[in-house]
Amino acid sequence: MELANFIPGKGFRKLNIFQKMKTSGLIGLLLLVLVYGDDATRKPNFVIIMVDDLGMGDVGCFGNDTIRTPNIDRLAAEGVKLNHNMVPAPTCTPSRGAFLTGRYPIRMGLASKLPNTMFGFNTGIGGMPSSEITFAEMLKSTGYATAALGKWHLGLHSFSFGHNFEFHPLNQGFDFFYGTPLTNMNECADTPNGRSSIMSLWHDFYTVITNVTVFLYSLVGLLRFSRVVGPTSFKVLLLLTTIIAIVAYCMPYYNYRFECVLLKNYEAVEQPFRLQNMTLRLTKYATSFIEENKEGPFLLYLSFLKVHTAMFTSKNFTGVSKHGQYGDNVEEMDWSVGRVLAKLDQLELTKNTFVFFTSDHGGHIEEISIEPGREGEREGGWNGIYKGGKSQVWEGGVRVPTIARYPPLIPQGSEISVPTSSMDVTPTLASLAGVKIPRDVTIDGVDITKLLAGKDKAPPHEFLFIYCGPWIHGVTYRPKTDDISYKVVFTSPKWTPDTEGCFNTWLCRCHGEWVDHHDPPLVYDLTHDPSERRPLDPTNSDVRKITSKAIEAVDIHEGTVVPVINQFQRFRVGPLYPWLQPCCNFPLCSCVEEGYENWDLVDF
Ligand SMILES: *[C@@H]1O[C@H](CO)[C@@H](O)[C@H](O)[C@H]1NC(C)=O
Ligand SMILES: *[C@@H]1O[C@H](CO)[C@@H](O)[C@H](O)[C@H]1NC(C)=O
Ligand SMILES: *[C@@H]1O[C@H](CO)[C@@H](O)[C@H](O)[C@H]1NC(C)=O
């Protein structure tokens, strides 16, 4: 479908949401967008800020008294703090897919039985399907100017012989993109830090490459043996296979050039990207976008490359915090939030702009520096009183620091402690903008406008499921009749002894020998025991009731999950399609974005 839309020389013709629905055979359901009223200027603007791997304990207003996050704290003082906001899966790619669409990641194929639950190569062919409808698409359809800045991590191309950009942000409702299709990785460090995220995740990288190489040689041999190809073609094919094998085997050594790519819309503008001033650049793009669209309405999705490794800060933020490089990273991110808020103030847009601040999951506790001079320094987030972290069912993995500010609606300095979900953002944005969400799509989030406004205190969700790959490891249960939030844990990761992480695999895994199954499940009273230290007595009849309710809810939910293509299959995520590589000047694939040297003169 996508190749047809690629016009050589003219680039990619964007499908709008209606064409997209047509191509997915949903033409009968064009009821999609019903705009209430026609005064576009009255619609709120949206600034949606996503931080990477930021933990509950990393932010001042969530209880950290030694890190300085005055701008995020200001946001909380002027808005509402969501103390129990959860992501449906504690790793980047699935969590972001759910965030942008309001749906459990398994519904879009972002749930895999394999250990790799995120995308690691630009030359893979997995991604969030373009048939998914993001909040950007919903807002764009009602006249919003939309931009995505920073980390995407939801794929780039699907399989094709050209660049089809099926999974690119511009094919998901954004008018403008400046950022990386993947994520910040250790490979991308300005000065090598001796680590490789790819190799940490892909223990069997060389096994896969060896299998593919053996397969290719056998295929070439077979083609010759059965006389499908002549002796000359045979030699050419042998040579090609050898080149592919050498390129693949050497990949970990030059990978930064191919994975650390900065795109501006469809074009690679810096390769490998230089991290040092990246936050300054994103901030500049953010404030410029707001300035250009001050007549509104606009949606800005600002997705920081921070506070993920590789650690990086510009000059002004190097060595300023009390918490090493990691703290410096948090404080620079906070500065950037402050510049965005200041721009809204300056343009008198604060009142009419809904600002949402969150993280994609908890801090990564296995991320420890091996750099000489920094050995042992923690470079992953801090989850405060919460147990575990990224890639785990525990609160440290799934509870994220979240704040919403919208002066006309949200009372200043308020707090919400009932369980909410990152999937609530899509329906809430749609509601605030007066867009009807598509009726034929299962949306798992709910519109929490009234809850944010303090008008309706009822918990929006009775059950929230915590996924690890395609498995549900736990359920948060908030009975309608009770003031207590419970958590039922069916499966939990096996930790490295005396730690709360999985240091031998770098990220905890979801099944097999890597996990413990609990039968009966562990039940916690999160309201009185948020650190999940004291499981309730499983023989108690009330506890048994909670467990059976949770199991019943899982069954009902699983009945609504329709099987779809798994986007994490090996042949989709592996670096197997070299022609899909973004490259700014073939064959060097090396360039820098001009005009970003003298940051001391930049006006934010
Ligand atoms: C504040 O955050 C830093 C950086 O993550 C962490 O090292 C420190 O322990 C935190 N302090 C508190 C009181 O949570
Ligand atoms: C860095 O600090 C200097 C001196 O305080 C200041 O003039 C400059 O504006 C700062 N740069 C940024 C990007 O904040
Ligand atoms: C970042 O900006 C500073 C000026 O503030 C400059 O000296 C430095 O070279 C820049 N770094 C890169 C990688 O462009």
Side-chain angles (χ1 to χ4, degrees), residues 365-376:
I365 49 192
E366 292 87 348
E367 199 61 287
I368 304 288
S369 181
I370 56 165
E371 249 174 276
R374 295 191 190 276
E375 287 107 337

Side-chain angles (χ1 to χ4, degrees), residues 371-387:
E371 249 174 276
R374 295 191 190 276
E375 287 107 337
E377 199 177 296
R378 221 165 33 75
E379 296 192 337
W382 173 248
N383 300 314
I385 62 163
Y386 300 102
K387 182 153 126 184

Side-chain angles (χ1 to χ4, degrees), residues 57-58 63-67 323 326-327 330 378 380-382 384:
D58 281 329
N64 195 322
D65 51 8
T66 47
I67 205 147
H323 300 288
Y326 183 81
V330 174
R378 221 165 33 75
W382 173 248

Side-chain angles (χ1 to χ4, degrees), residues 280 316 335 604:
L280 304 181
N316 280 15
W335 166 85
F604 294 93

